[in-house]
Amino acid sequence: MLAELGPALFASLRRSDQRTRGEQYLRGLLYAEGRKSIRNLAGVVGGAGTEQSLHHFITESTWDWDPMRAALARHVERMVRPKAWVVQSMPIQKAGERSVGIDRRFVPELGYSVHGQHSFGLWMASEAMSAPVNWTLSLSSSWLQDEEKRRLANIPDWVEERSPGECAAGVALDALEWNVERRPVVMPSRDFVSSAVLSRFHAAGVPVIARLRPMDQLRVGDTAMPGYGAGPIPVSDMLQHIRALRRPVEWLDGAGGVPVVRSSLVAGIRVEVPQARRSASGPQQWLLMGEWTNPAGPPSEFWLTDLTTTSLDGLMRMAKLSHRVAFDIASTGEQAGLRDFAGRSFQGWHRHLTLASAAHTVATGADHAASRTRAAGSPGSPSAGRPQQRQR
């Protein structure tokens, strides 16, 4: 995997010494044990004399991470064969105040405030595996309006303050310039969706599947459905009114590493998004999809999408790719060093995350290939070559 990815990944580095340092850094991320500090990486690939050169390569050299991410994305596209792109927030808890972007913010997915960095990653995902290809770091006004902090972290002039939703949309839409096939974008973070964010995806021609909160309000768009003409109402109430339309839908859950078939009750209804931008052809068509894991209770999940002609089965399978991403972050991304950059510089953070994403891709690809080999070697096994079956 490393031999296949390396030449394409480092092709944009003009100098041979940069390519050497890039290869060393990547090997260090793959083979160093424990926290992926530059000192630990150097200890694996060259010792004390290498530490300074690796530090310079990451924090002070002039190479651009964008072409490297584009090469990584094209490699991942071939390897993963993604069904969707998933935008996943990744808070990085840290002590101290020196690292770029350190701030205290409430993280909706965790339910509490985190002191640290607040990032968003773009993952190409299938049920079998996923890998990150792009990153953005959310920077607050305390960083961007303080000239001394900006100077010490070497934050470029073009970096501006953006809302979490704008960061989430940007990290996906930036990848459209990389000559990869655009896929539907899954946004599992419920608190980052707004009409402005949805309009950005629509203007770019990128379908979206966005997770909503129960109290988010939409308008019923189907004249034959309860609530039409009543104005914006909470999505939880809207779906309760159509619970008689629920039907079983099967989807693949990658949360445990090996895709498992699960089943939920799902219903969908045409809706309108208040304040969404109108296109030249008229109002945009939206579908609200609700999932019930407890048939007797209220809906447990709410998804909004403009893929109105896609089956509920297909929509659920794409939405649940967020489970695969969460598993891969915990099982491989942590070990590849996605949260381990300790430096101060903005450029250093982006370069480290780029190479840590490549390390994650190599490690995940090797694990996936090994599992396929084991499955192919056990034709008599009931689980060989297909997902395990388990109903919920």
Side-chain angles (χ1 to χ4, degrees), residues 105-268:
R105 301 187 203 176
F106 180 77
V107 179
E109 298 94 323
L110 300 178
Y112 55 83
S113 294
V114 168
H115 181 82
Q117 296 164 323
H118 303 269
S119 66
F120 293 84
L122 176 65
W123 295 68
M124 291 182 169
S126 68
E127 290 95 352
M129 62 182 296
S130 67
V133 297
N134 198 25
W135 293 93
T136 191
L137 183 62
S138 178
L139 298 175
S140 67
S141 59
S142 65
W143 279 89
L144 297 178
Q145 296 179 13
D146 187 320
E147 292 185 6
E148 181 66 7
K149 290 175 72 172
R150 265 193 102 122
R151 183 185 65 81
L152 291 173
N154 201 17
I155 300 172
D157 293 339
W158 53 263
V159 178
E160 300 177 345
E161 186 175 2
R162 297 187 294 173
S163 69
E166 290 168 337
C167 288
V171 79
L173 297 178
D174 287 348
L176 299 180
E177 302 178 2
W178 292 347
N179 193 28
V180 292
E181 183 175 348
R182 63 182 62 193
R183 309 280 182 174
V185 172
V186 179
M187 299 185 67
S189 299
R190 291 179 290 189
D191 290 74
F192 304 143
V193 178
S194 67
S195 57
V197 168
L198 296 174
S199 294
R200 283 194 64 187
F201 283 107
H202 180 57
V206 177
V208 64
I209 305 173
R211 192 174 174 214
L212 301 181
R213 299 167 297 184
M215 70 287 294
D216 286 334
Q217 296 191 354
L218 302 172
R219 288 191 293 262
V220 175
D222 189 333
T223 58
M225 289 294 172
Y228 180 79
I233 60 175
V235 296
S236 57
D237 295 344
M238 189 184 298
L239 288 169
Q240 282 288 68
H241 293 156
I242 64 164
R243 58 186 296 119
L245 301 179
R246 299 177 301 177
R247 66 176 182 84
V249 166
E250 288 190 342
W251 46 278
L252 290 176
D253 186 5
V258 177
V260 174
V261 177
R262 300 193 186 277
S263 178
S264 301
L265 289 174
V266 176

Side-chain angles (χ1 to χ4, degrees), residues 2 10 20 22 73 75 111 144 193 213 224 239 296 300 318 321 335 340 348-349 369-370:
L2 181 57
F10 301 121
T20 297
H75 174 84
L144 297 178
V193 178
R213 299 167 297 184
L239 288 169
S300 54
M318 285 189 282
L321 291 175
Q335 288 77 7
D340 283 352
W349 185 88

Side-chain angles (χ1 to χ4, degrees), residues 245-251 265-269 287-290 305 307-319:
L245 301 179
R246 299 177 301 177
R247 66 176 182 84
V249 166
E250 288 190 342
W251 46 278
L265 289 174
V266 176
I269 182 172
L287 177 74
L288 172 66
M289 181 174 64
T305 182
L307 291 168
T308 56
T309 61
T310 302
S311 68
L312 293 179
D313 302 68
L315 292 172
M316 279 290 290
R317 289 198 170 205
M318 285 189 282

